Amino acid sequence: AKSQSRGSISIFEPQMDQQLRDRRVLHQDLSAAIRNGELSLHYQPQARAGQTVVDADITGFEALARWIHPTRGFVPPGDFIPLAEESGLIVEMGEWILRRACLEAASWPVPLQIAVNLSPAQFMHGDLVGLVHSILLETGLQPGRLELEITEGVLIEDFDRGVALLRRLKALGVRISMDDFGSGYSSLTYLQAFPFDKIKIDRAFVINLGLNPQSAAIVRAVIGLGHGLDVAIVAEGVETHEQLCFLASEGCDGVQGYFIGRPAPIAQYAALVGRIAAA
Ligand code: C2E
Ligand code: CA
Ligand code: CA
Ligand code: CA
């Protein structure tokens, strides 16, 4: 507590030192993680928004990266993805994730959509279009099944380059989703300039649906915006039946969240993708 501190510097410095050391070690471990097979993908289903959710409503999955560290165990992506971004490791890691997701999805007998997150560094450096193209050829995944999720932060850096890149990606036949819509700035400008196929309403608005009328108004407005622009709207973070009913009654196209299904190894969804679960 404050009253007990004799000088915040002497108390907090060792702690910050420790944090820095921690990060350095974690970073070294992360660069070995791909080689050592510590990364894997979990899959979270997306469904058409209806009053009930049955398996037939599932339209696809979002791939989410998982890192099981040999001694620390599970490290959340909210921790290691930013670390990978700062260090540039994300380019190599992102390539692994994209290839892995396409490879796995290509093996599903049922041709559901597969959504993969792209980080800003992947988007702005290297030959992303060439990479996506060669991974599609290599894995045989039908381009229309691949959705690339980007946040608007990606586009802030270089607007013109962003527009050109998205157009070239779309020319390959893949779909583009705007992730975390409403959590950043200038969203409307981006909607006008970029050829999105899907907008994902940020979880924060969905959480508050039953709690404050403003969230309901915002969600309703975004759904209306999507319909006006002919862009599909998917709500993220749907955790309750009430949220699902509200979204369905407002005409939201898709839903994703714990109420539909948690991120899990694909074996858990084997029946949906048409595979026999591995023992
Ligand atoms: P995101 O892209 O917005 O992914 C959705 C996150 O919300 C996931 O967290 C998911 O587990 C969580 N989620 C889904 N439904 C619910 C729900 O009903 N309630 C709650 N409370 N949470 C829900 P996760 O897997 O921890 O990932 C966090 C973030 O890390 C992702 O946010 C994404 O920004 C990043 N990330 C994860 N995997 C990758 C990846 O492969 N590449 C990149 N570039 N980023 C990734
Ligand atoms: Ca996402
Ligand atoms: Ca999101
Ligand atoms: Ca996010």
Side-chain angles (χ1 to χ4, degrees), residues 20-132:
L20 272 174
R21 265 199 303 275
D22 248 42
R23 283 177 75 76
R24 217 171 294 138
V25 172
L26 204 59
H27 172 244
Q28 283 162 4
D29 294 354
L30 190 56
S31 58
I34 303 178
R35 281 195 308 273
N36 298 344
E38 293 160 18
L39 288 184
S40 64
L41 297 181
H42 278 192
Y43 293 87
Q44 184 176 36
Q46 266 180 33
R48 267 182 282 275
Q51 297 295 333
T52 58
V53 169
V54 291
D55 287 358
D57 293 327
I58 304 294
T59 53
F61 291 89
E62 176 175 359
L64 293 159
R66 296 292 179 258
W67 180 20
I68 310 293
H69 186 280
T71 57
R72 292 166 194 246
F74 177 78
V75 183
D79 289 352
F80 74 82
I81 296 283
L83 194 62
E85 272 169 359
E86 284 165 31
S87 61
L89 258 179
I90 191 71
V91 176
E92 185 191 348
M93 183 178 292
E95 180 174 335
W96 183 89
I97 291 167
L98 183 64
R99 178 171 286 115
R100 182 83 205 179
C102 290
L103 198 62
E104 292 196 6
S107 79
W108 304 340
V110 181
L112 296 170
Q113 294 295 117
I114 176 72
V116 179
N117 293 284
L118 289 186
S119 82
Q122 269 179 291
F123 199 80
M124 283 307 177
H125 307 289
D127 177 18
L128 179 63
V129 181
L131 179 69
V132 172

